[in-house]
Amino acid sequence: MNTLGIDIGSSYIKAGVISTGREALIQQTNFPALPKLPSANPLVYELDAEELYNTIHNIIHTTAASVPLDGILFSTQMHGFVYRTKSRPDHYISWQDSRCTSPQKNGISVLDKLKAFISKEEMWVSGVQLKPSLGMCNLYALLQEEDAPSDDGTLFTLGSYLIWRLTGNNICHITNAAPLGLVNIPEKNWNKPVIDALGFSKITFPDIASEEFNPAGYCFAGGQKIPVYPDYGDQQVSIAGACATPDDAVINIATACQLSRNTQIFIPGSYEIRPYFEQTYINTISNMPGGRNLSVLIQFLKETVQLFTGKQLEESDMWDIINKTLEPDSGSLKAEMYFYPTNEHLSGGKISHIMPNNFHISNLFQAAYEHIAEEYAKNLPLLEGNSRIKRLIFSGGVSWKNMQLIETAAQRIELPYKRSPIPDETFNGLYRLSLAIEHKGGLPDASLKRTLE
């Protein structure tokens, strides 16, 4: 079976042809993610959904012209959405959008307003609580703006928008529906009481796929009729690719970071509950500092170098130099890496305890690593319940590029660890999903360790 796997991330769009027979990725191509559209509001983070569709359309048609395809699988970033009306261009409002935290004329943000009339108890069945990156919060904020679109539009997840453009069917997988905050996860359906409370009752929602390994529709490319499968959440695909067992905690460090653990039971707690595959769940601590937090420091250094020398440095070269200079400790310098808004940290991070002899680049980055490791160590016990975590699995692009960070984290947590089986575990996850589709069964047992070459 040949499947075209397309991973739409925040930094890159990656596509590859996965051969289940050869257990190999036989073609691969990467593109930088689309740039953020300009906005006067720094809290707004939108992408041109039409341009994104054209990119995906070209990938599919170019691939189908040279390779027979048995299916198309999407792994997409979660929480965001496309809200389509006649008066509004098709924009993807990203999980990096936090317009709901912007104060309105009365000084109260939309997020605070929502917290006043939607209780934590009402949100339990959705598996998430109200937060700046949540799709429902930013959709509500969009509909409160002065030039707001009409309230009877069509809502898409990022994946269901692409599926709709390819097949005519607005169908999404529950792993992408749930992060909007508008799903009753145990019932596997849209949460009508919350939808009505928010005034979303006129909106047309995607159908949630009733069968996760059945096609959502078909597209035609290269003379082929190709099944298009529901969009799978990128976190779930990553965990499948990491071959995690219930004894493992997965620390996925990419643009963002999540701490996760598989479970068979839906029990609300001090974590998010996200649908996984085969009627199971992943308990998740989200909004952990990750790659984008470290990039704030890198961007400052890049700007400094360019200002004083006129030279442009590559990030990869900068990381090589920085990690070679690190000392075992930060020399009492402290860094708090919450530079992006979360429920608990809305006012940004900070660098403190600066003294005449400790404000050096090596100390700054070691302090950053130590703070990130401390946050992971502090939050991981929330995922233990009645069963202790026995091993860590580090996944995500940052884990494979920054050994110093994961070693700092593993030493602080004091558990054995490994990295995901291959550097891009998303393709390994899509491979395992391809096996489930091919054999019309479930995911291969993680203990079998079937991975891509």
Side-chain angles (χ1 to χ4, degrees):
M1 178 177 181
N2 288 340
T3 56
L4 172 59
I6 303 176
D7 174 38
I8 304 174
S10 303
S11 301
Y12 293 96
I13 298 170
K14 303 175 184 178
V17 177
I18 300 161
S19 167
T20 57
R22 291 163 58 179
E23 297 187 351
L25 193 62
I26 60 176
Q27 283 188 13
Q28 184 176 359
T29 184
N30 295 346
F31 300 89
L34 296 184
K36 171 186 172 182
L37 293 171
S39 173
N41 184 349
L43 300 176
V44 168
Y45 201 110
E46 297 186 1
L47 305 178
D48 186 332
E50 177 74 23
E51 185 178 351
L52 178 60
Y53 165 71
N54 289 335
T55 300
I56 301 306
H57 179 273
N58 289 338
I59 289 171
I60 292 170
H61 281 259
T62 300
T63 306
S66 60
V67 181
L69 295 176
D70 301 296
I72 298 170
L73 276 65
F74 287 109
S75 165
T76 65
Q77 52 188 283
M78 302 181 294
H79 298 290
F81 60 91
V82 177
Y83 184 67
R84 192 168 203 265
T85 66
K86 292 180 180 178
S87 63
R88 176 179 168 81
D90 290 355
H91 286 178
Y92 168 61
I93 297 180
S94 162
W95 63 271
Q96 298 186 76
D97 192 288
S98 55
R99 71 187 70 198
C100 64
T101 64
S102 181
Q104 297 184 299
K105 291 179 180 178
N106 58 6
I108 304 297
S109 72
V110 165
L111 183 60
D112 290 333
K113 181 180 176 180
L114 290 174
K115 288 178 179 178
F117 73 88
I118 296 182
S119 68
K120 289 185 176 181
E121 290 74 20
E122 288 176 294
M123 291 299 295
W124 276 346
V125 295
S126 71
V128 292
Q129 291 297 326
L130 301 175
K131 60 180 182 177
S133 62
L134 201 62
M136 64 177 275
C137 299
N138 291 312
L139 175 58
Y140 189 87
L142 173 68
L143 295 177
Q144 302 297 308
E145 294 173 359
E146 288 186 7
D147 57 347
S150 64
D151 62 356
D152 60 351
T154 301
L155 187 70
F156 300 87
T157 64
L158 176 58
S160 82
Y161 176 79
L162 298 173
I163 291 168
W164 172 69
R165 293 294 301 269
L166 291 167
T167 72
N169 300 324
N170 184 9
I171 295 176
C172 68
H173 193 257
I174 193 169
T175 53
N176 265 306
L180 293 171
L182 296 169
V183 168
N184 184 318
I185 292 177
E187 293 184 3
K188 300 177 178 58
N189 212 336
W190 295 106
N191 189 348
K192 192 172 186 306
V194 169
I195 287 170
D196 290 344
L198 292 169
F200 293 169
S201 57
K202 295 181 183 178
I203 294 174
T204 301
F205 286 81
D207 292 331
I208 297 176
S210 57
E211 299 290 338
E212 59 192 356
F213 299 137
N214 283 351
Y218 297 84
C219 76
F220 294 87
Q224 304 178 56
K225 181 181 179 182
I226 309 168
V228 180
Y229 290 87
D231 53 327
Y232 304 120
D234 56 358
Q235 183 192 8
Q236 288 83 349
V237 174
S238 173
I239 288 175
C243 297
T245 73
D247 288 335
D248 300 323
V250 177
I251 303 180
N252 180 56
I253 315 175
T255 303
C257 175
Q258 310 89 26
L259 317 179
S260 305
R261 193 178 187 192
N262 293 79
T263 179
Q264 307 247 341
I265 308 171
F266 186 96
I267 301 178
S270 300
Y271 43 74
E272 296 180 0
I273 305 176
R274 299 180 177 179
Y276 190 55
F277 302 106
E278 303 174 303
Q279 317 297 319
T280 63
Y281 310 95
I282 45 176
N283 293 343
T284 299
I285 310 291
S286 63
N287 293 321
M288 291 286 97
R292 65 175 182 160
N293 304 74
L294 288 167
S295 286
V296 170
L297 303 181
I298 288 288
Q299 291 305 316
F300 174 76
L301 294 180
K302 284 183 71 173
E303 182 182 346
T304 303
V305 170
Q306 185 174 8
L307 180 65
F308 285 99
T309 71
K311 294 181 179 179
Q312 287 266 18
L313 292 183
E314 295 293 331
E315 264 195 50
S316 57
D317 296 334
M318 294 177 70
W319 278 118
D320 288 342
I321 295 168
I322 288 165
N323 285 331
K324 286 175 182 176
T325 67
L326 290 182
E327 301 294 336
D329 64 67
S330 57
S332 75
L333 191 71
K334 301 295 180 185
E336 293 183 15
M337 299 297 291
Y338 286 104
F339 300 138
Y340 289 86
T342 71
N343 270 353
E344 293 76 25
H345 306 90
L346 287 170
S347 58
K350 62 183 178 182
I351 301 166
S352 63
H353 295 70
I354 298 174
M355 298 180 182
N357 61 349
N358 75 348
F359 194 42
H360 304 295
I361 289 176
S362 62
N363 286 345
L364 173 61
F365 278 85
Q366 187 58 45
Y369 293 172
E370 289 169 2
H371 178 257
I372 291 172
E374 177 63 32
E375 290 303 295
Y376 296 169
K378 182 172 69 176
N379 284 277
L380 268 176
L382 299 174
L383 301 178
E384 291 203 311
N386 297 322
S387 173
R388 293 191 63 81
I389 296 166
K390 297 179 181 177
R391 183 179 62 173
L392 306 175
I393 298 179
F394 287 94
S395 65
V398 175
S399 295
W400 278 88
K401 294 174 183 175
N402 199 323
M403 195 66 188
Q404 286 87 344
L405 173 59
I406 67 172
E407 285 181 346
T408 302
Q411 287 170 9
R412 176 62 186 82
I413 297 166
E414 298 182 329
L415 280 175
Y417 74 95
K418 69 171 191 173
R419 288 189 290 191
S420 52
I422 61 174
D424 198 334
E425 70 283 336
T426 294
F427 280 119
N428 198 50
L430 291 170
Y431 163 64
R432 299 183 74 224
L433 288 165
S434 298
L435 290 173
I437 291 168
E438 182 178 31
H439 299 298
K440 304 187 185 306
L443 285 174
D445 192 312
S447 64
L448 298 178
K449 302 188 185 302
R450 290 195 67 178
T451 63
L452 284 174
E453 293 295 331

Coordinates of all heavy atoms in Angstrom, one line a residue, residues 353-406:
H353 N 17.9 37.7 38.2 CA 19.1 37.4 38.9 C 20.4 37.7 38.1 O 21.4 37.0 38.2 CB 19.1 36.0 39.4 CG 18.1 35.6 40.4 ND1 16.7 35.6 40.1 CD2 18.1 35.4 41.7 CE1 16.0 35.3 41.1 NE2 16.8 35.1 42.2
I354 N 20.3 38.8 37.3 CA 21.4 39.2 36.5 C 22.4 39.9 37.4 O 22.1 40.8 38.1 CB 21.0 40.1 35.3 CG1 20.0 39.4 34.4 CG2 22.2 40.7 34.6 CD1 19.4 40.3 33.3
M355 N 23.7 39.4 37.3 CA 24.8 40.0 38.0 C 25.9 40.4 37.1 O 25.9 40.0 35.9 CB 25.3 39.0 39.1 CG 24.2 38.7 40.1 SD 24.8 37.5 41.3 CE 23.3 37.2 42.3
P356 N 26.9 41.2 37.5 CA 27.9 41.6 36.6 C 28.7 40.5 35.9 O 29.2 40.7 34.8 CB 28.9 42.5 37.5 CG 28.0 42.9 38.6 CD 27.0 41.8 38.9
N357 N 28.8 39.3 36.6 CA 29.6 38.3 36.1 C 28.9 37.1 35.6 O 29.5 36.0 35.3 CB 30.6 37.8 37.2 CG 29.9 37.3 38.4 OD1 28.7 37.4 38.5 ND2 30.7 36.6 39.3
N358 N 27.6 37.1 35.4 CA 26.8 35.9 35.0 C 26.0 36.1 33.8 O 25.4 35.1 33.3 CB 26.0 35.4 36.2 CG 24.7 36.2 36.4 OD1 24.6 37.3 35.9 ND2 23.8 35.7 37.3
F359 N 25.9 37.3 33.2 CA 25.0 37.5 32.1 C 25.8 37.2 30.8 O 26.2 38.1 30.0 CB 24.5 38.9 32.1 CG 23.3 39.1 31.1 CD1 22.3 38.2 31.0 CD2 23.2 40.3 30.4 CE1 21.2 38.4 30.2 CE2 22.1 40.5 29.5 CZ 21.1 39.5 29.4
H360 N 25.9 35.9 30.5 CA 26.6 35.4 29.3 C 25.6 34.5 28.6 O 24.7 33.9 29.1 CB 27.8 34.6 29.7 CG 28.8 35.3 30.6 ND1 29.4 36.4 30.1 CD2 29.2 35.2 31.9 CE1 30.2 36.9 31.1 NE2 30.1 36.2 32.1
I361 N 25.9 34.3 27.3 CA 25.0 33.5 26.4 C 24.9 32.1 26.9 O 23.8 31.5 27.0 CB 25.5 33.5 25.0 CG1 25.2 34.9 24.4 CG2 24.7 32.5 24.1 CD1 25.7 35.1 23.0
S362 N 26.0 31.5 27.3 CA 26.0 30.1 27.8 C 25.1 30.0 29.1 O 24.3 29.1 29.2 CB 27.4 29.6 28.1 OG 28.0 30.4 29.1
N363 N 25.2 31.0 30.0 CA 24.4 30.9 31.2 C 22.9 31.2 30.9 O 22.0 30.6 31.5 CB 24.9 32.0 32.2 CG 26.2 31.7 32.9 OD1 26.6 30.5 32.8 ND2 26.8 32.6 33.5
L364 N 22.7 32.0 29.9 CA 21.3 32.3 29.5 C 20.6 31.1 29.0 O 19.5 30.8 29.4 CB 21.2 33.4 28.5 CG 19.9 33.8 27.9 CD1 18.9 34.2 28.9 CD2 20.0 34.8 26.8
F365 N 21.2 30.3 28.1 CA 20.6 29.2 27.5 C 20.5 28.0 28.5 O 19.6 27.2 28.5 CB 21.2 28.8 26.2 CG 20.7 29.6 25.1 CD1 21.3 30.9 24.8 CD2 19.7 29.2 24.3 CE1 20.8 31.7 23.8 CE2 19.2 30.0 23.3 CZ 19.7 31.2 23.0
Q366 N 21.6 27.9 29.4 CA 21.5 26.8 30.4 C 20.3 27.1 31.4 O 19.6 26.2 31.8 CB 22.8 26.7 31.1 CG 22.8 25.5 32.1 CD 22.6 24.2 31.4 OE1 23.1 23.9 30.3 NE2 21.7 23.4 32.0
A367 N 20.2 28.4 31.7 CA 19.1 28.8 32.6 C 17.7 28.5 31.9 O 16.8 28.1 32.6 CB 19.2 30.3 32.9
A368 N 17.7 28.8 30.6 CA 16.4 28.4 29.9 C 16.1 27.0 29.9 O 15.0 26.5 30.2 CB 16.6 28.9 28.4
Y369 N 17.2 26.1 29.7 CA 17.0 24.7 29.7 C 16.5 24.2 31.1 O 15.7 23.3 31.3 CB 18.3 23.9 29.3 CG 18.7 24.1 27.9 CD1 19.9 23.6 27.5 CD2 17.9 24.7 26.9 CE1 20.3 23.8 26.1 CE2 18.3 24.9 25.6 CZ 19.5 24.4 25.2 OH 19.9 24.5 23.9
E370 N 17.2 24.8 32.1 CA 16.9 24.4 33.5 C 15.4 24.7 33.8 O 14.7 24.0 34.5 CB 17.8 25.1 34.5 CG 19.2 24.5 34.4 CD 20.3 25.3 35.1 OE1 19.9 26.3 35.8 OE2 21.5 25.0 35.1
H371 N 14.9 25.9 33.4 CA 13.6 26.3 33.7 C 12.6 25.4 33.0 O 11.6 24.9 33.5 CB 13.3 27.7 33.3 CG 11.8 28.1 33.5 ND1 10.9 28.2 32.5 CD2 11.2 28.4 34.7 CE1 9.7 28.6 33.0 NE2 9.9 28.6 34.3
I372 N 12.9 25.1 31.7 CA 12.0 24.2 30.9 C 12.0 22.8 31.6 O 10.9 22.2 31.7 CB 12.5 24.1 29.5 CG1 12.3 25.4 28.7 CG2 11.8 23.0 28.7 CD1 12.9 25.5 27.4
A373 N 13.1 22.3 32.0 CA 13.2 21.0 32.6 C 12.4 21.0 33.9 O 11.7 20.0 34.3 CB 14.7 20.6 32.9
E374 N 12.5 22.1 34.7 CA 11.8 22.2 35.9 C 10.3 22.1 35.7 O 9.5 21.5 36.5 CB 12.2 23.5 36.7 CG 11.4 23.7 38.0 CD 11.7 22.7 39.0 OE1 12.8 22.1 39.1 OE2 10.8 22.4 39.8
E375 N 9.8 22.8 34.7 CA 8.4 22.8 34.4 C 7.9 21.4 34.0 O 6.8 21.0 34.4 CB 8.1 23.9 33.2 CG 8.3 25.3 33.7 CD 7.4 25.6 34.9 OE1 6.1 25.6 34.7 OE2 7.9 25.9 36.0
Y376 N 8.7 20.7 33.2 CA 8.3 19.4 32.8 C 8.2 18.5 34.1 O 7.3 17.7 34.3 CB 9.3 18.8 31.9 CG 9.5 19.4 30.5 CD1 10.5 19.1 29.6 CD2 8.5 20.4 30.1 CE1 10.6 19.7 28.4 CE2 8.7 21.0 28.8 CZ 9.7 20.6 28.0 OH 9.8 21.3 26.8
A377 N 9.3 18.6 34.9 CA 9.3 17.8 36.2 C 8.2 18.1 37.1 O 7.6 17.2 37.7 CB 10.7 18.0 36.9
K378 N 7.8 19.3 37.2 CA 6.7 19.8 38.1 C 5.4 19.3 37.6 O 4.5 18.9 38.4 CB 6.7 21.3 38.2 CG 5.7 21.9 39.1 CD 5.9 23.4 39.3 CE 5.6 24.1 38.0 NZ 5.7 25.6 38.2
N379 N 5.2 19.2 36.3 CA 3.9 18.8 35.8 C 3.7 17.3 35.5 O 2.5 16.8 35.5 CB 3.6 19.6 34.5 CG 3.2 21.1 34.8 OD1 2.1 21.4 35.1 ND2 4.2 22.0 34.7
L380 N 4.7 16.6 35.2 CA 4.6 15.2 34.9 C 3.8 14.4 35.9 O 3.0 13.5 35.6 CB 6.0 14.5 34.7 CG 6.5 14.5 33.2 CD1 7.9 14.0 33.2 CD2 5.6 13.8 32.3
P381 N 4.0 14.6 37.3 CA 3.3 13.8 38.2 C 1.7 13.9 38.1 O 1.0 13.0 38.5 CB 3.7 14.4 39.6 CG 5.1 14.9 39.3 CD 5.0 15.4 37.9
L382 N 1.2 15.0 37.5 CA -0.2 15.1 37.3 C -0.7 14.0 36.3 O -1.9 13.7 36.4 CB -0.5 16.5 36.6 CG -0.1 17.7 37.5 CD1 -0.4 19.0 36.7 CD2 -0.9 17.7 38.8
L383 N 0.1 13.4 35.6 CA -0.3 12.3 34.6 C -0.2 10.9 35.2 O -0.5 9.9 34.6 CB 0.6 12.4 33.4 CG 0.5 13.7 32.6 CD1 1.5 13.6 31.4 CD2 -0.9 14.0 32.1
E384 N 0.3 10.8 36.5 CA 0.6 9.5 37.0 C -0.7 8.8 37.6 O -0.9 7.6 37.3 CB 1.6 9.6 38.1 CG 3.0 9.9 37.5 CD 4.1 9.5 38.4 OE1 4.1 9.8 39.7 OE2 5.1 8.8 38.0
G385 N -1.6 9.5 38.3 CA -2.7 8.8 38.8 C -2.3 7.7 39.7 O -1.5 7.8 40.6
N386 N -2.9 6.5 39.5 CA -2.6 5.3 40.3 C -1.4 4.4 39.7 O -1.1 3.4 40.2 CB -3.8 4.4 40.4 CG -4.9 5.1 41.2 OD1 -4.6 5.8 42.1 ND2 -6.2 4.9 40.8
S387 N -0.8 4.9 38.6 CA 0.2 4.2 37.9 C 1.4 5.1 37.6 O 1.3 6.1 36.9 CB -0.4 3.6 36.6 OG 0.6 3.0 35.8
R388 N 2.5 4.7 38.1 CA 3.7 5.5 38.0 C 4.3 5.5 36.6 O 4.2 4.4 35.9 CB 4.8 5.1 39.0 CG 4.5 5.4 40.4 CD 5.7 5.2 41.3 NE 6.7 6.1 41.0 CZ 6.7 7.4 41.5 NH1 5.8 7.8 42.2 NH2 7.8 8.2 41.2
I389 N 4.8 6.6 36.1 CA 5.5 6.6 34.8 C 6.9 6.0 35.0 O 7.6 6.2 35.9 CB 5.7 8.1 34.4 CG1 4.3 8.8 34.2 CG2 6.5 8.2 33.1 CD1 4.3 10.3 34.0
K390 N 7.2 5.1 34.1 CA 8.4 4.3 34.2 C 9.5 4.8 33.2 O 10.7 4.5 33.4 CB 8.1 2.8 33.9 CG 7.2 2.2 35.0 CD 6.9 0.7 34.8 CE 6.0 0.2 35.8 NZ 5.7 -1.2 35.6
R391 N 9.1 5.5 32.1 CA 10.0 5.9 31.1 C 9.6 7.1 30.4 O 8.4 7.3 30.2 CB 10.3 4.7 30.1 CG 11.3 5.0 29.0 CD 11.5 3.8 28.1 NE 10.2 3.5 27.3 CZ 10.1 2.6 26.4 NH1 11.2 1.9 26.0 NH2 9.0 2.4 25.7
L392 N 10.5 7.9 29.9 CA 10.2 9.1 29.1 C 10.5 8.8 27.6 O 11.5 8.1 27.3 CB 11.0 10.3 29.5 CG 11.0 10.7 31.0 CD1 12.0 11.8 31.2 CD2 9.6 11.1 31.4
I393 N 9.7 9.2 26.7 CA 10.0 9.2 25.3 C 10.0 10.7 24.8 O 8.9 11.4 25.0 CB 9.0 8.4 24.5 CG1 9.0 6.9 24.9 CG2 9.3 8.5 23.0 CD1 8.0 6.0 24.2
F394 N 11.1 11.2 24.3 CA 11.2 12.5 23.8 C 10.9 12.4 22.3 O 11.5 11.6 21.6 CB 12.5 13.1 24.0 CG 12.8 13.5 25.5 CD1 13.4 12.7 26.4 CD2 12.3 14.8 25.9 CE1 13.6 13.0 27.7 CE2 12.5 15.1 27.3 CZ 13.2 14.3 28.1
S395 N 10.0 13.2 21.8 CA 9.6 13.3 20.4 C 9.6 14.7 20.0 O 9.8 15.6 20.8 CB 8.3 12.6 20.1 OG 7.2 13.3 20.7
G396 N 9.4 14.9 18.7 CA 9.4 16.3 18.1 C 10.8 16.7 17.6 O 11.8 16.3 18.1
G397 N 10.7 17.7 16.7 CA 12.0 18.1 16.0 C 13.0 18.7 16.9 O 14.2 18.5 16.8
V398 N 12.6 19.4 18.0 CA 13.5 20.0 18.9 C 14.3 18.9 19.7 O 15.5 19.0 19.9 CB 12.8 21.0 19.9 CG1 13.8 21.5 20.9 CG2 12.2 22.2 19.1
S399 N 13.6 17.8 20.0 CA 14.2 16.7 20.8 C 15.4 16.1 20.0 O 16.4 15.7 20.5 CB 13.2 15.6 21.1 OG 12.2 16.1 22.0
W400 N 15.2 16.1 18.7 CA 16.2 15.4 17.8 C 17.4 16.4 17.5 O 18.5 16.0 17.1 CB 15.6 14.9 16.6 CG 15.0 13.5 16.8 CD1 13.8 13.2 17.3 CD2 15.7 12.3 16.7 NE1 13.6 11.9 17.4 CE2 14.8 11.2 17.1 CE3 17.0 11.9 16.3 CZ2 15.1 9.9 17.1 CZ3 17.3 10.5 16.3 CH2 16.4 9.6 16.7
K401 N 17.1 17.7 17.6 CA 18.1 18.7 17.3 C 18.9 19.2 18.5 O 19.9 19.9 18.4 CB 17.5 19.9 16.6 CG 16.9 19.5 15.2 CD 16.1 20.7 14.6 CE 15.5 20.4 13.3 NZ 14.6 21.5 12.8
N402 N 18.3 19.0 19.7 CA 18.9 19.6 20.9 C 19.0 18.6 22.0 O 18.2 18.5 22.9 CB 18.0 20.8 21.3 CG 18.7 21.8 22.3 OD1 19.5 21.4 23.1 ND2 18.3 23.0 22.1
M403 N 20.1 17.8 21.9 CA 20.4 16.8 22.9 C 20.6 17.4 24.3 O 20.2 16.8 25.3 CB 21.6 16.0 22.5 CG 21.7 14.7 23.2 SD 20.4 13.6 22.8 CE 20.7 12.2 24.0
Q404 N 21.2 18.6 24.4 CA 21.4 19.2 25.7 C 20.1 19.5 26.4 O 20.1 19.3 27.7 CB 22.2 20.5 25.5 CG 23.7 20.3 25.2 CD 23.9 20.2 23.7 OE1 23.0 19.9 22.9 NE2 25.1 20.3 23.2
L405 N 19.1 19.9 25.7 CA 17.8 20.2 26.4 C 17.2 18.9 26.9 O 16.8 18.9 28.1 CB 16.8 20.8 25.4 CG 15.4 21.0 25.9 CD1 15.4 21.9 27.1 CD2 14.5 21.6 24.8
I406 N 17.2 17.8 26.2 CA 16.5 16.6 26.7 C 17.4 16.0 27.8 O 16.8 15.4 28.7 CB 16.1 15.6 25.6 CG1 17.3 15.0 24.9 CG2 15.2 16.3 24.6 CD1 16.9 13.9 23.9

